[in-house]
Structure formats: structure tokens, C-alpha cells
Amino acid sequence: MKRTLSVLVENKPGVLTRITGLFARRGFNIDSLAVGETENPLFSRVTITVVGHDQPVEQVTKQLHKLINVIKITDLEPAERLERELLLVKVKATADNRAEIMQVAEIFEGRIVDISPETAVIEATGPRRKVEALIELLRSMNVVVELIRTGKIAVRRGPKLT
Amino acid sequence: MKGSYILLEALKQEGVDVVFGYPGGSVIPLYDALYDFDIRHILTRHEQGAAHAADGYARASGKVGVCVATSGPGACNLVTGIANAYLDSVPMVAITGQVRTSLIGTDAFQEADITGITLPIVKHSYLVQKVDDLPRIVREAFYLARTGRPGPVLIDVPVDITVAETEYDPSCPPDMALPGYKPTVKGHPKQIRAAAAALAQAERPVIYAGGGIISAGASQELRDLARFAHIPVTTTLTGIGCFPEDEELSLGMLGMHGTRYANYAVTHCDLVFAVGVRFDDRVTGKLETFAPGAKTIHVDVDPAEISKNVVVDIPIVGDARWVLSAILDELKKHQLAVDRHLPWMAQIAQWKEDHPQVVRQDPGGEIMPEHVVRRLWEITKGEALITTEVGQNQMWAAQYYLARYPRQFITSGGLGTMGFGFPAAIGAKVACPDSLVIDIAGDGSFQMNIQELGTAVAHDIPVKVCILNNCCLGMVRQWQELFWQKRYSQTCFECQPDFVKVAEAYGAEGYRVTGLDDLDEVLRESLSSDGPAVIDVPVKQEANVYPMVPAGGSIHEMLEEEG
């Protein structure tokens, strides 16, 4: 099962290494990772997606807690979280298929952010499922030249803090 | 004030009066400042010796041990010692020099990324970036090392930081900035009540006590509780001494080389009261058959240890001392009938009678290693502070030197570091100058840090090294004999030094036992002398450690010597 861990950490050098190192040596594969400063510049938010069963995930969470620079960890359930991923995908877009590409981007509420005689770059955001659906469609059209996506970020819905 | 002076002032603030170390290029300013300080510096002969000595000092004293090394190779040589302290939760602060800030990351001379290298084996680490941060970092490092689950903390100090000047007022302690660090001391009241109720109801309870009791200073609380509720106590290797092993309630050590009666008791009990332990594989053997019918209470200061290897029924996160005394208070509210587990105690007494921990004698007249340990115990009246090397010597020491006090038995449990015992003995002797300190050694392990004879002699630290000399790497040889068709690959030494001459060459005393006849006399003489001494005791090479649970086996299925 995929889990989304939202980890609040001190914004200090080396913190990310401590976190990723811990995952590696406890045998966890990080599925995606996103890091950025929070509303308070002293803290950063690390959003990690991992695949794992309850007990090992609980164990790795406890181990994460032991890192001195880790302040808080929230295991966000699907229903309580709002999640986004950002995709930048460069596709073949010539005069022949440009209209089609634009249409696909539009359906996925994406934007064309760069264009050349042979290519276009689509920017799309959304929950992972949506981003993956777009990728799948583009792949089936055989137009993907380069694909770059961020790790997932997530926030808790409603007034309660993540 | 210069960074180096600030660093040493900050150490003084933490109550440091002795450090173990080895100088080098990047720490010259630090050592220069040390010249002006009344901090005792024990110059070891290898940085690994410094780390183990600081570890031994910490375990013997309960204070934070401090070791110092230069950048690059010096720092790298501390690594085994840091890992050793990490695995056994020993409070330690390791201070390493680093190349100057502007050179970091350039593969400069004697540069090693020691914060990176030690990342998985420290509780926390710092690479000092501003001289102004030094007082806070030192304060935090000591606080982290000794609180919660203790462990090693590394402070990597670039050389330019130690020569930089800034304002410093020792009378004004810096604020710590550790927003993510809040160790739990008090156990949850509901869990405490549940634990007390379970203990009161149990018909076949066993206490499984570990090193956490010793580091929490909870030995007295454990004794009070065990005696009040009349519950037998078995300890882990690192828990040895937390409960007097010559007391009736003691079951000795459990696990791979534990006593039969401890392993039987754990297998047949209906309640395991685990305190300051981590259900290590050397203790539990096959997890499925470890205390199969029992309810488990687990007290530990580290929440990550709870339900890591064994899912427990009543977890309690908190300081062992606090929790044990709270449980005892709660237990006193229950009506405990004195005879409530008489059949259980009778059963245990029967196991003890049927499977005693015997001292074997060799029909051929060779010296049996456990006999040496038992004689050491008798001659020292069980009062010596024991350190051990790793392997068979360690197990015989654990089995036959019955410890009575916490911090009396110091051994490398988690990491199993050969070469630990001798430098640890030096550190322990520095911490406890009035104790007789004996390293029960093997000929293999002792040679891993034999150079520390120079340290013991130069600083007049009169520790005794008793080598159970079987001319081989006995524990591996034992496994090869039992499980690898007696293919003794690389475990028998073809050439041994003359340990007596080595000792004498360093200026220490060297003694050699020739046989059972002069064993007692030589032990007495060497132990009562004033100086550091090495006692070479030839023991039967084929002697194995028994009982033994094969790795991954059930702990109640133990091998005994054949014949």
C-alpha cells in the first residue's frame, strides 16, 4: 500500500541526507519525495511516498522521529489529504499534430508553456492519478520526448494543520 | 576568545575532566589550547583505542565519555568505536578535527566526510560552521548523548573554526535549539496500571532485563520490584550486573549462550516483563518460539524499540527508573499472595538443580577457560570491574563471573567488537581508579588493540589483562566445528607473540601460567601488583562455550557438550 508521510523538519544542512539515508538502510524504497520551505523559514516540509505494510511503515516512522531534526510526522490518509504533483512533459508537436496535443492538454487542464516547430512542453498539475492518466495518453500517442515530474506534495484538508 | 578555547571551556561546563584522544594536523590548535586547561588527556596509541576507552569510561562512570581525533584517518579510526557505542546506547561525544571550511569538499589532505561516514551510527552529528555556534553545539551534544536513549554524538570542527575569535562568556550558558527532541520520561499511567495488574495476576512471570536498566540507573528499582513481587530475573549480556547474579531470583543470562534455566523459564512463562531490552536475535533465537504462551510488557525509553521485533501486549515508553518505581507503587496496591506462584518457583529451582552452570575440568589436565574465570571471581570475591573482549572469552566471562553491581560488567554487546575490552578497561579504570579492573581477553581480540599497553604504562593505569589463550579465534572455530564440518578456515594462529615479552617490552608486567598448579598463585600475584599486567593463561583449545542455541534456533533447544 502507498503511504504519504508528511514530515516537518528543521531547515538545516544535511537533514535530507539523514532522512533518505534512514529509508535506505531500513530497506525502504522512496517512491517520491518533495522538499520545500514552509510558512516558517526555520522549517521545511518533506513529503514522502513509500510503499509498505503497516508495521514496517510504523517502524520507519518511529525511526524518523528519532532524527533530532525531525519535528513532526503525519501519515496522511487518502481521504484527508489534498495532493498535487507537477508534470513538465516535452512532446513531439509538429504542424500535423499540434492541435491534437493542445486538445489533450486542455482536457487535463494543462497548459502549453513552451513551443517550437517540432515540440511543445505541457505543464500539468493534479493528483497523481490524473498526472499518470495524462502520461499514459501521451505515451499511447507516441509523442513523449522527455518527461519530468516532481514528487508529490500534500496538505491536510480542512482547518486542522498537516 | 579562540574557538579552541571556547570548545574546551564548553567541555568544562559539561563537567568533562578527562578526554581520550590522539592529535593530528587539524586539531593542533585544539591541543595547543588543551595545554592551558586542567582537562586530563589520555593519549592512546590508536584512535580506535581512544573511542573504546571513552566508551569504557562512560559505561563505568555513567558520565559522557569524550574522545578526540584529527580529520581524515584519525576520524575514520574512531568509526568502529562510535558504532560500538551506538549499538550499546553508550553516551559519548566524539570530537573530530576537519580541514578548513574553504577546503571542505575538495579532497584536501586528510579530508574525510566524517559526518557523512558516521550518519547511520550516531544519535546526532554536527559540522560546525560558525565559531559562535560552538557553545550551543557542545551543550546540545552532551544533552543528546546522555538523555533519552543515550548514544554517541559527533562534533566535526574545521580547523579554521578553532582559530577564529569571538565573544564568549562561560557564565552564560547558550540556549539549546532542539525543537524535535523530547524524550519521554514518564510512562503512561494507564499502561503502568495495566502492567501492575498483569504482574499481579501472572502465575509464571519472568523479568527480562537489559542494558537500559543500567543506563537509566534503575538497578535499585528493578531489585526492589523483583524482590517485592518475587519474580525471577534474567538479563541480557549488556544487562549483566543490573541484578545480583548470586541471588536466588537471578536466572543469569538468557539467549544463545544463556543458562538453560533462564531459557526454559522464558519459554514456559506466562508473562515476560521486558525492561530496557530490544529483543535482539542473540536473545530470542527463533522469534516464533520465544516465550510462545506469554503476555509481554515492554518498557523502553525508545519508542522505536517497541514492537520492532516482537509485538507486545503492554508497551510502556519511558525512563526505566521512573516506570519501574511507578509500577512498584501500583503493585503495592494489589494483594499479592506470597504463595501465588510457588509451583513456578519450584519448577525454576528444579531446572537450576538439573542444569547447573558447571565448571568443567579437563580429564587431560589442561586448563578449562571457565575455570580461570571462576577462579578470578573467587579470588577477587566478585568485586572486580570486568571488561571483556569478544568471542568465547566474553561468553565465559558472562557465564562465570557473577556480577553483583550495575556497571561492573562492561562488554561490547550489539556490535561485538573484537579489541574493545582492553581500551575499555583503561577507560573504566580512569573512571573508577579504586576498582580492580580486569579485561577478560582472548588472544585474538587482545591483539587487535594490544598497542594500548603503551597507554596503560605511560599514564600508569594499572589494568589487568587476563588472556584465555587458546591460540585460535575460538568462537568462529567453535562454529566451524559444530556447523561447518570442522573446516577450520583461518581460525587457528600459526604464530603467536610471547605475550609476556610484549608486556615487558612496553614496560608492563607479564605473567605466564603454566598449568593448573600455578594458576591461583599467578593470578593472585598479578592481580595484587601495582602496575598494568598481562597474564597469559594457556587454555584448552577445543573447549567450547555451552550451552549453545544454534543461530535461528529455539532458545529452549540448546546444545550441550557431547560425552
Side-chain angles (χ1 to χ4, degrees):
Chain A
M1 186 191 150
K2 270 200 182 134
R3 307 285 284 266
T4 304
L5 302 178
S6 183
V7 188
L8 188 66
V9 301
E10 288 184 78
N11 188 0
K12 283 185 175 168
V15 176
L16 191 60
T17 318
R18 290 180 201 271
I19 292 174
T20 52
L22 182 80
F23 274 85
R25 76 178 170 272
R26 299 273 167 189
F28 277 84
N29 196 11
I30 294 178
D31 199 54
S32 95
L33 177 85
V35 195
E37 215 172 83
T38 65
E39 71 284 356
N40 180 345
L42 292 176
F43 299 122
S44 292
R45 176 73 65 174
V46 185
T47 310
I48 304 168
T49 10
V50 285
V51 183
H53 296 291
D54 287 359
Q55 215 191 318
V57 169
E58 191 192 323
Q59 174 59 211
V60 86
T61 307
K62 284 174 169 178
Q63 296 291 348
L64 268 182
H65 259 300
K66 282 170 69 173
L67 296 178
I68 306 299
N69 304 124
V70 169
I71 313 282
K72 189 184 169 196
I73 303 167
T74 317
D75 186 349
L76 288 167
E77 298 291 332
E80 62 180 1
R81 69 179 185 238
L82 192 66
E83 57 174 64
R84 288 293 179 267
E85 213 178 276
L86 171 65
L87 169 75
L88 291 174
V89 56
K90 188 176 287 181
V91 293
K92 276 185 267 181
T94 55
D96 295 345
N97 70 342
R98 196 170 292 134
E100 193 187 2
I101 292 293
M102 289 172 75
Q103 209 175 358
V104 169
E106 199 177 327
I107 291 166
F108 283 87
E109 294 170 299
R111 298 193 301 145
I112 306 289
V113 288
D114 179 68
I115 199 137
S116 76
E118 298 99 52
T119 61
V121 174
I122 305 173
E123 172 198 308
T125 64
R128 169 170 282 207
R129 220 174 323 146
K130 177 180 151 189
V131 170
E132 299 210 318
L134 171 58
I135 293 170
E136 208 172 307
L137 184 63
L138 292 171
R139 279 195 204 281
S140 72
M141 293 163 67
N142 212 13
V143 290
V144 176
V145 179
E146 195 173 33
L147 187 155
I148 294 164
R149 59 204 281 197
T150 62
K152 176 170 85 179
I153 58 168
V155 70
R156 191 195 286 276
R157 292 175 186 273
K160 214 174 146 197
L161 295 180
T162 312
Chain B
M1 196 185 282
K2 267 192 191 157
S4 52
Y5 283 78
I6 296 173
L7 178 56
L8 293 174
E9 276 291 351
L11 292 183
K12 295 287 291 180
Q13 295 288 316
E14 296 299 327
V16 174
D17 46 24
V18 59
V19 301
F20 302 85
Y22 205 101
S26 296
V27 285
I28 291 175
L30 183 62
Y31 274 86
D32 184 68
L34 192 63
Y35 222 61
D36 296 332
F37 271 80
D38 57 340
I39 292 178
R40 185 177 178 198
H41 181 272
I42 309 282
L43 174 65
T44 56
R45 294 301 183 265
H46 189 294
E47 289 90 348
Q48 188 187 354
H52 290 326
D55 182 321
Y57 174 87
R59 294 195 211 213
S61 66
K63 297 197 278 188
V64 178
V66 181
C67 56
V68 181
T70 192
S71 64
C76 289
N77 280 341
L78 293 180
V79 168
T80 306
I82 294 172
N84 189 73
Y86 184 70
L87 266 285
D88 285 348
S89 308
V90 175
M92 179 194 282
V93 168
I95 298 168
T96 50
Q98 182 54 276
V99 300
R100 65 173 193 270
T101 312
S102 59
L103 287 180
I104 290 178
T106 65
D107 301 326
F109 176 65
Q110 291 195 328
E111 180 186 3
D113 172 14
I114 196 63
T115 50
I117 289 169
T118 57
L119 213 54
I121 52 165
V122 292
K123 184 167 173 184
H124 196 52
S125 52
Y126 295 90
L127 170 56
V128 184
Q129 288 172 319
K130 293 202 300 279
V131 64
D132 296 306
D133 292 341
L134 261 177
R136 175 183 56 80
I137 286 174
V138 171
R139 185 160 181 231
E140 287 179 6
F142 277 79
Y143 178 70
L144 291 170
R146 68 172 178 260
T147 57
R149 179 178 185 169
V153 178
L154 177 95
I155 309 177
D156 196 22
V157 195
V159 61
D160 53 314
I161 301 280
T162 58
V163 294
E165 298 258 358
T166 190
E167 298 283 311
Y168 175 65
D169 177 4
S171 64
C172 162
D175 288 334
M176 291 193 286
L178 299 168
Y181 182 70
K182 294 177 204 80
T184 308
V185 173
K186 298 177 182 178
H188 196 286
K190 194 177 123 232
Q191 298 297 84
I192 304 256
R193 283 196 297 277
L199 284 166
Q201 281 158 20
E203 288 171 6
R204 302 186 306 281
V206 169
I207 296 175
Y208 155 33
I213 304 246
I214 295 173
S215 48
S219 300
Q220 192 55 49
E221 285 72 11
L222 172 78
R223 289 161 196 224
D224 292 347
L225 191 147
R227 287 168 188 160
F228 174 79
H230 209 61
I231 302 175
V233 180
T234 178
T235 74
T236 64
L237 180 64
T238 47
I240 287 176
C242 73
F243 194 82
E245 293 192 291
D246 52 359
E247 201 167 296
E248 197 200 334
L249 284 173
S250 172
L251 299 171
M253 183 172 74
L254 82 166
M256 183 174 273
H257 292 294
T259 62
R260 272 191 181 260
Y261 37 91
N263 285 356
Y264 286 171
V266 169
T267 304
H268 294 281
C269 71
D270 67 349
L271 178 73
V272 176
F273 183 27
V275 192
V277 297
R278 56 189 179 87
F279 296 85
D280 178 75
D281 59 278
R282 285 294 187 267
V283 162
T284 63
K286 192 176 176 185
L287 277 172
E288 296 73 36
T289 53
F290 181 76
K295 208 177 204 187
T296 311
I297 306 169
H298 187 190
V299 180
D300 206 282
V301 73
D302 179 0
E305 285 305 333
I306 306 278
S307 294
K308 183 179 83 176
N309 297 334
V310 169
V311 178
V312 298
D313 302 287
I314 307 175
I316 305 178
V317 176
D319 172 70
R321 188 169 168 191
W322 193 96
V323 172
L324 283 175
S325 88
I327 291 178
L328 179 57
D329 287 346
E330 194 61 35
L331 206 52
K332 285 178 177 165
K333 296 178 193 163
H334 289 263
Q335 295 291 328
L336 292 186
V338 191
D339 58 354
R340 74 194 195 289
H341 51 253
L342 274 184
W344 177 234
M345 298 312 286
Q347 171 71 75
I348 286 172
Q350 190 63 49
W351 281 328
K352 280 190 172 185
E353 200 182 311
D354 294 345
H355 309 284
Q357 201 69 10
V358 289
V359 177
R360 297 166 298 182
Q361 296 301 343
D362 176 46
E366 284 191 78
I367 303 177
M368 292 301 282
E370 68 259 38
H371 175 70
V372 182
V373 176
R374 186 45 62 88
R375 288 306 297 146
L376 278 174
W377 181 68
E378 286 162 353
I379 290 168
T380 59
K381 301 185 171 61
E383 297 285 326
L385 196 163
I386 301 296
T387 71
T388 79
E389 298 294 341
V390 162
Q392 288 183 321
N393 61 80
Q394 178 183 32
M395 292 299 116
W396 286 313
Q399 291 174 331
Y400 294 95
Y401 199 100
L402 303 184
R404 291 199 191 99
Y405 316 109
R407 309 195 180 283
Q408 187 189 0
F409 188 85
I410 293 174
T411 193
S412 166
L415 195 66
T417 312
M418 287 176 69
F420 169 77
F422 181 37
I426 291 174
K429 182 72 182 172
V430 169
C432 307
D434 298 330
S435 298
L436 171 60
V437 178
I438 306 172
D439 171 31
I440 296 180
D443 47 298
S445 284
F446 179 49
Q447 289 186 74
M448 282 207 181
N449 274 316
I450 198 167
Q451 78 286 346
E452 299 306 331
L453 277 167
T455 309
V457 171
H459 294 272
D460 192 19
I461 304 167
V463 297
K464 312 294 177 181
V465 180
C466 181
I467 308 172
L468 306 177
N469 190 347
N470 56 9
C471 271
C472 67
L473 300 173
M475 188 56 93
V476 177
R477 189 199 165 282
Q478 173 169 345
W479 283 49
Q480 290 170 332
E481 179 186 331
L482 297 174
F483 312 117
W484 296 88
Q485 296 81 42
K486 303 189 179 175
R487 289 157 59 89
Y488 300 120
S489 178
Q490 303 297 319
T491 46
C492 299
F493 290 120
E494 285 151 8
C495 154
Q496 286 283 53
D498 181 329
F499 288 110
V500 173
K501 281 188 183 161
V502 172
E504 287 169 355
Y506 271 104
E509 298 162 15
Y511 297 86
R512 177 166 294 112
V513 172
T514 56
L516 277 168
D517 293 344
D518 64 349
L519 174 68
D520 276 25
E521 190 192 322
V522 174
L523 287 181
R524 281 211 172 82
E525 190 190 342
S526 56
L527 296 179
S528 58
S529 79
D530 292 333
V534 174
I535 310 126
D536 185 12
V537 188
V539 298
K540 189 178 168 70
Q541 186 174 61
E542 296 77 22
N544 285 341
V545 181
Y546 289 110
M548 178 182 193
V549 179
S554 303
I555 62 166
H556 62 282
E557 292 169 355
M558 309 185 78
L559 302 179
E560 268 321 324
E561 184 148 41
E562 286 173 18

